[in-house]
Amino acid sequence: MAKELNIQEATICPSTAQMLEKATKDGVETAFHRANDMKPCPIGMEGACCKNCSMGPCRMSTKSPYDKVGVCGATYDTIASRNFARMVAGGAAAHTDHGMAMLDIFKEVVKGNIPDYKIKDIDKLKYVAESIGIPVYIEKDDGTTQLRDVKDIALDLAEELEKTYTQVEGEIPFTKRVPPKTLEKWRELGIVPRGAMREIMELMHRTHMGVDQEYNNMTLHFMRTALSDGWGGSMVATEVSDILFGTPKAVRGEVDMGCLDEKQVNIIIHGHEPNLFESMIEGVNDPKNIEKAKSAGAEGINLVGMCCSGTEVLMRHGIPHVGNFMSTEAVIVTGAIDAMAVDVQCIKQALANLSSCYGTKFFTTNRRAKIEGATHIELDEHNPRECVDKIIDMAIDRFKNNRKAKIEIPQNRHMSIPGFSHEFINYMLGGRFRASYVPLNDNIINGRIRGVAGVVGCTNPRVKHDWVHLELVKELIKNNVLVVQTGCSAISLAKYGLMTPEAAAKYAGPGLAEVCETIGTPPVLNVGSCVDNSRILIACAEMVKTGGLGDKISDLPVAGAAPEWMSEKAISIGQYFVASGVYTVFGVNFPTIEGTKFHDLLFKGLDDLVGATWDFAKDPYEMAQKMIAHIDKKREALGIQEKKERKLFDMEDRRKLAV
Ligand code: NFS
């Protein structure tokens, strides 16, 4: 018999809670119910189970992990580090395969083989090309310079960026963006990444039975693999998507289930690759499709997003976003969804069955990800409209003929201002002519802003949905820590109104509120989807380059957190932040046992190697305290912890500067 779900303990999201009540009435279940019925395996949870060969699976005791070894003799540290390494490999593979798919599309667009897309942001193309040494201008015989043909720049860029995946020796292209002192450290340790395929292949080899059985050595390689994701696959995904679909700038975008409309055909896109969504935007705006919807009795077609691809189009176009990972089933329970189309990553298998309970048409579109019970309509990148138009037709058909389930739409919708790409932050701080990070660094140095925190990652039914994200971020901004966010975490905060400029006066400490008021930004900045965590790396590199805050990323007063994480991708992200020099705290649980050598390496020893460590706290207030303590420690080391009196420069002072 299923245990009764305590909805108040499961989520603080009013829309999700309302839909969980409806699910109970309708007799359907969600991941919240399944998590309630199934305890996580304690041995697996702490990384103490090895199933890498058929002499096992071997299980270590979580109470005394050194009491025994596996059949081959593997110790707890070997087993846990291998398991951790495989999580990094899984996460890095997901991001880099996505990034490579984006690069393939980019190449085809440049060659003129996909007429549906074009290079939308030439400035971004130039910026990315220049950042890795590809010439953007050519010198003419008369000594003047001229912009190279855009197609030539793009082809050179595509060829160079391909190395991010395939390079077998040397350093991947975006390592040119890493602050020199940080890069020097990686070179010393031998962890500068080669192509992701090479690193992931070697990591899978090392974690095979009987290969790398020394946890320190394993750790160096999974750091290298994670770096091939952060400064490689993920960064390429972000940059190429910006070039093709536009670099985000501040827009208005609404979130939550109140963005659904009973009178319209509701279509949800859920997944990670922005091209499906971009083509769907074209499709729903095509007058022919609108006409079809109207003749079926609808007022129009309402396109909304979920999860990470939803966040990408919220950032780029202000398309409404109806919820994060733990709301993807709840939204089907509204009965209002005529079609949900998915591509890759974070798609619960249960969505297929649940959709059939409500007559919602559920489509898979990517050859990598089919789901039993779903209708597969493959997206051909060369002709995306064919897939998109079929989905729209079937959504209209459901609207007309199969809206039998009782529809109940939670009436919650909130305005948010997303769109804080690295480029927009640069612009916002100094306008078109003086774009720079100087005002940010200055305000950190003068103490108005204590530091910067990245709060990112999934939602997870093992903790109260949204609550850990919300409380952590509120605590941070109250203490004058500027927060940047991606993915599901960003949607959590947008739902509670913290991504508006008005939120600064209400929730932020006085210093941060003053800065936000001056530049007109929210105290919590949405910087995009999970691959867009690479924007946070770029921002860190820019803060180092701007000066005054040390010469390595590990010198900066910054910290990271994934308080409700669940996926292997989160582990890869956490690891590339730590390896880059950002202290990172995870919630929910951590796949190591406290007091073991491997745990101590991750939580203490890495500080000597890369200048940052992992940490863990379930409670959001404890997590905030840990992050703030770390930020203060870094401020202390930089000599900026003491509050400085504001001094207004007069002309005399300026002359003394002699600049
Ligand atoms: Ni990222 Fe987690 Fe998934 Fe996006 Fe959401 S669950 S690691 S935030 S949608 S990838």
Side-chain angles (χ1 to χ4, degrees), residues 43 48 57-62 64-71 73-77 79:
I43 300 172
C58 299
R59 298 176 305 160
M60 303 298 106
S61 156
T62 54
S64 43
Y66 293 126
D67 271 7
K68 56 179 179 179
V69 293
V71 174
T75 61
Y76 170 79
D77 296 307
I79 291 169

mmCIF file of all heavy atoms in Angstrom, residues 43 48 57-62 64-71 73-77 79:
data_model
loop_
_atom_site.group_PDB
_atom_site.id
_atom_site.type_symbol
_atom_site.label_atom_id
_atom_site.label_comp_id
_atom_site.label_asym_id
_atom_site.label_seq_id
_atom_site.Cartn_x
_atom_site.Cartn_y
_atom_site.Cartn_z
ATOM 1 N N ILE A 43 23.626 2.353 0.941
ATOM 2 C CA ILE A 43 24.987 1.971 0.543
ATOM 3 C C ILE A 43 25.358 2.669 -0.765
ATOM 4 O O ILE A 43 26.421 3.270 -0.897
ATOM 5 C CB ILE A 43 25.111 0.435 0.429
ATOM 6 C CG1 ILE A 43 24.797 -0.183 1.801
ATOM 7 C CG2 ILE A 43 26.506 0.020 -0.031
ATOM 8 C CD1 ILE A 43 24.690 -1.674 1.805
ATOM 9 N N ALA A 48 29.313 3.450 -1.701
ATOM 10 C CA ALA A 48 29.997 2.293 -1.119
ATOM 11 C C ALA A 48 29.650 0.971 -1.792
ATOM 12 O O ALA A 48 29.955 -0.093 -1.256
ATOM 13 C CB ALA A 48 29.672 2.219 0.373
ATOM 14 N N PRO A 57 27.882 -7.492 -7.289
ATOM 15 C CA PRO A 57 28.239 -6.248 -6.613
ATOM 16 C C PRO A 57 28.776 -6.451 -5.184
ATOM 17 O O PRO A 57 28.277 -7.302 -4.467
ATOM 18 C CB PRO A 57 26.921 -5.480 -6.568
ATOM 19 C CG PRO A 57 26.070 -6.086 -7.631
ATOM 20 C CD PRO A 57 26.486 -7.495 -7.736
ATOM 21 N N CYS A 58 29.783 -5.626 -4.843
ATOM 22 C CA CYS A 58 30.381 -5.667 -3.511
ATOM 23 C C CYS A 58 29.932 -4.448 -2.723
ATOM 24 O O CYS A 58 30.015 -3.334 -3.237
ATOM 25 C CB CYS A 58 31.905 -5.663 -3.614
ATOM 26 S SG CYS A 58 32.555 -7.089 -4.501
ATOM 27 N N ARG A 59 29.486 -4.690 -1.505
ATOM 28 C CA ARG A 59 28.978 -3.569 -0.713
ATOM 29 C C ARG A 59 29.818 -3.382 0.542
ATOM 30 O O ARG A 59 30.022 -4.315 1.310
ATOM 31 C CB ARG A 59 27.515 -3.815 -0.336
ATOM 32 C CG ARG A 59 26.621 -3.901 -1.581
ATOM 33 C CD ARG A 59 25.205 -4.224 -1.240
ATOM 34 N NE ARG A 59 25.106 -5.452 -0.460
ATOM 35 C CZ ARG A 59 24.057 -5.776 0.288
ATOM 36 N NH1 ARG A 59 23.031 -4.961 0.368
ATOM 37 N NH2 ARG A 59 24.036 -6.901 0.960
ATOM 38 N N MET A 60 30.314 -2.170 0.734
ATOM 39 C CA MET A 60 31.091 -1.857 1.937
ATOM 40 C C MET A 60 30.118 -1.424 3.028
ATOM 41 O O MET A 60 29.014 -0.958 2.745
ATOM 42 C CB MET A 60 32.067 -0.702 1.679
ATOM 43 C CG MET A 60 33.052 -0.906 0.535
ATOM 44 S SD MET A 60 34.166 -2.283 0.787
ATOM 45 C CE MET A 60 33.498 -3.482 -0.351
ATOM 46 N N SER A 61 30.560 -1.538 4.265
ATOM 47 C CA SER A 61 29.712 -1.075 5.363
ATOM 48 C C SER A 61 29.781 0.450 5.414
ATOM 49 O O SER A 61 30.869 1.035 5.356
ATOM 50 C CB SER A 61 30.223 -1.671 6.676
ATOM 51 O OG SER A 61 29.823 -0.854 7.735
ATOM 52 N N THR A 62 28.615 1.106 5.532
ATOM 53 C CA THR A 62 28.654 2.568 5.604
ATOM 54 C C THR A 62 29.074 3.032 6.998
ATOM 55 O O THR A 62 29.503 4.160 7.178
ATOM 56 C CB THR A 62 27.278 3.180 5.252
ATOM 57 O OG1 THR A 62 26.297 2.582 6.077
ATOM 58 C CG2 THR A 62 26.937 2.951 3.796
ATOM 59 N N SER A 64 31.440 1.301 8.973
ATOM 60 C CA SER A 64 32.900 1.138 9.075
ATOM 61 C C SER A 64 33.430 0.698 7.703
ATOM 62 O O SER A 64 33.659 -0.488 7.456
ATOM 63 C CB SER A 64 33.270 0.139 10.165
ATOM 64 O OG SER A 64 32.415 -0.978 10.095
ATOM 65 N N PRO A 65 33.592 1.676 6.823
ATOM 66 C CA PRO A 65 33.893 1.370 5.420
ATOM 67 C C PRO A 65 35.222 0.661 5.187
ATOM 68 O O PRO A 65 35.432 0.095 4.112
ATOM 69 C CB PRO A 65 33.893 2.753 4.755
ATOM 70 C CG PRO A 65 33.972 3.746 5.850
ATOM 71 C CD PRO A 65 33.413 3.117 7.059
ATOM 72 N N TYR A 66 36.114 0.689 6.177
ATOM 73 C CA TYR A 66 37.406 0.032 5.963
ATOM 74 C C TYR A 66 37.450 -1.389 6.538
ATOM 75 O O TYR A 66 38.492 -2.022 6.534
ATOM 76 C CB TYR A 66 38.536 0.882 6.556
ATOM 77 C CG TYR A 66 38.723 2.210 5.812
ATOM 78 C CD1 TYR A 66 38.706 3.417 6.484
ATOM 79 C CD2 TYR A 66 38.905 2.226 4.426
ATOM 80 C CE1 TYR A 66 38.872 4.630 5.810
ATOM 81 C CE2 TYR A 66 39.060 3.419 3.740
ATOM 82 C CZ TYR A 66 39.044 4.617 4.433
ATOM 83 O OH TYR A 66 39.204 5.788 3.745
ATOM 84 N N ASP A 67 36.299 -1.877 7.043
ATOM 85 C CA ASP A 67 36.293 -3.221 7.633
ATOM 86 C C ASP A 67 36.558 -4.309 6.616
ATOM 87 O O ASP A 67 37.090 -5.358 6.927
ATOM 88 C CB ASP A 67 34.941 -3.492 8.304
ATOM 89 C CG ASP A 67 34.966 -3.034 9.753
ATOM 90 O OD1 ASP A 67 35.975 -2.414 10.133
ATOM 91 O OD2 ASP A 67 33.981 -3.283 10.473
ATOM 92 N N LYS A 68 36.085 -4.098 5.396
ATOM 93 C CA LYS A 68 36.336 -5.126 4.376
ATOM 94 C C LYS A 68 36.646 -4.469 3.044
ATOM 95 O O LYS A 68 36.518 -3.243 2.896
ATOM 96 C CB LYS A 68 35.143 -6.076 4.269
ATOM 97 C CG LYS A 68 33.826 -5.407 3.979
ATOM 98 C CD LYS A 68 32.724 -6.454 3.871
ATOM 99 C CE LYS A 68 31.389 -5.768 3.598
ATOM 100 N NZ LYS A 68 30.288 -6.665 3.459
ATOM 101 N N VAL A 69 37.060 -5.299 2.097
ATOM 102 C CA VAL A 69 37.333 -4.811 0.743
ATOM 103 C C VAL A 69 36.508 -5.644 -0.242
ATOM 104 O O VAL A 69 35.956 -6.691 0.129
ATOM 105 C CB VAL A 69 38.840 -4.908 0.396
ATOM 106 C CG1 VAL A 69 39.668 -3.962 1.241
ATOM 107 C CG2 VAL A 69 39.353 -6.347 0.519
ATOM 108 N N GLY A 70 36.437 -5.204 -1.488
ATOM 109 C CA GLY A 70 35.699 -5.950 -2.499
ATOM 110 C C GLY A 70 36.400 -7.260 -2.843
ATOM 111 O O GLY A 70 37.532 -7.506 -2.400
ATOM 112 N N VAL A 71 35.748 -8.109 -3.641
ATOM 113 C CA VAL A 71 36.333 -9.413 -3.991
ATOM 114 C C VAL A 71 37.707 -9.230 -4.632
ATOM 115 O O VAL A 71 38.652 -9.973 -4.365
ATOM 116 C CB VAL A 71 35.373 -10.200 -4.932
ATOM 117 C CG1 VAL A 71 36.027 -11.488 -5.427
ATOM 118 C CG2 VAL A 71 34.063 -10.516 -4.220
ATOM 119 N N GLY A 73 39.689 -6.859 -3.975
ATOM 120 C CA GLY A 73 40.554 -6.157 -3.027
ATOM 121 C C GLY A 73 40.364 -4.652 -3.043
ATOM 122 O O GLY A 73 41.053 -3.927 -2.316
ATOM 123 N N ALA A 74 39.430 -4.157 -3.856
ATOM 124 C CA ALA A 74 39.226 -2.699 -3.933
ATOM 125 C C ALA A 74 38.768 -2.147 -2.586
ATOM 126 O O ALA A 74 37.863 -2.696 -1.954
ATOM 127 C CB ALA A 74 38.198 -2.373 -5.010
ATOM 128 N N THR A 75 39.402 -1.066 -2.167
ATOM 129 C CA THR A 75 39.042 -0.439 -0.900
ATOM 130 C C THR A 75 37.870 0.521 -1.104
ATOM 131 O O THR A 75 37.518 0.864 -2.234
ATOM 132 C CB THR A 75 40.220 0.401 -0.375
ATOM 133 O OG1 THR A 75 40.484 1.413 -1.365
ATOM 134 C CG2 THR A 75 41.462 -0.443 -0.140
ATOM 135 N N TYR A 76 37.324 1.008 0.024
ATOM 136 C CA TYR A 76 36.243 1.984 -0.070
ATOM 137 C C TYR A 76 36.676 3.188 -0.905
ATOM 138 O O TYR A 76 35.915 3.672 -1.748
ATOM 139 C CB TYR A 76 35.791 2.458 1.329
ATOM 140 C CG TYR A 76 34.860 3.644 1.192
ATOM 141 C CD1 TYR A 76 33.525 3.461 0.846
ATOM 142 C CD2 TYR A 76 35.341 4.957 1.323
ATOM 143 C CE1 TYR A 76 32.677 4.544 0.636
ATOM 144 C CE2 TYR A 76 34.503 6.038 1.119
ATOM 145 C CZ TYR A 76 33.174 5.826 0.772
ATOM 146 O OH TYR A 76 32.347 6.900 0.560
ATOM 147 N N ASP A 77 37.900 3.665 -0.709
ATOM 148 C CA ASP A 77 38.337 4.879 -1.426
ATOM 149 C C ASP A 77 38.393 4.646 -2.935
ATOM 150 O O ASP A 77 38.037 5.523 -3.713
ATOM 151 C CB ASP A 77 39.701 5.344 -0.892
ATOM 152 C CG ASP A 77 39.608 5.750 0.568
ATOM 153 O OD1 ASP A 77 38.744 6.576 0.890
ATOM 154 O OD2 ASP A 77 40.365 5.196 1.377
ATOM 155 N N ILE A 79 36.551 2.368 -4.538
ATOM 156 C CA ILE A 79 35.163 2.188 -5.004
ATOM 157 C C ILE A 79 34.446 3.537 -5.080
ATOM 158 O O ILE A 79 33.811 3.875 -6.089
ATOM 159 C CB ILE A 79 34.422 1.203 -4.063
ATOM 160 C CG1 ILE A 79 35.007 -0.204 -4.230
ATOM 161 C CG2 ILE A 79 32.914 1.206 -4.330
ATOM 162 C CD1 ILE A 79 34.544 -1.206 -3.188
#
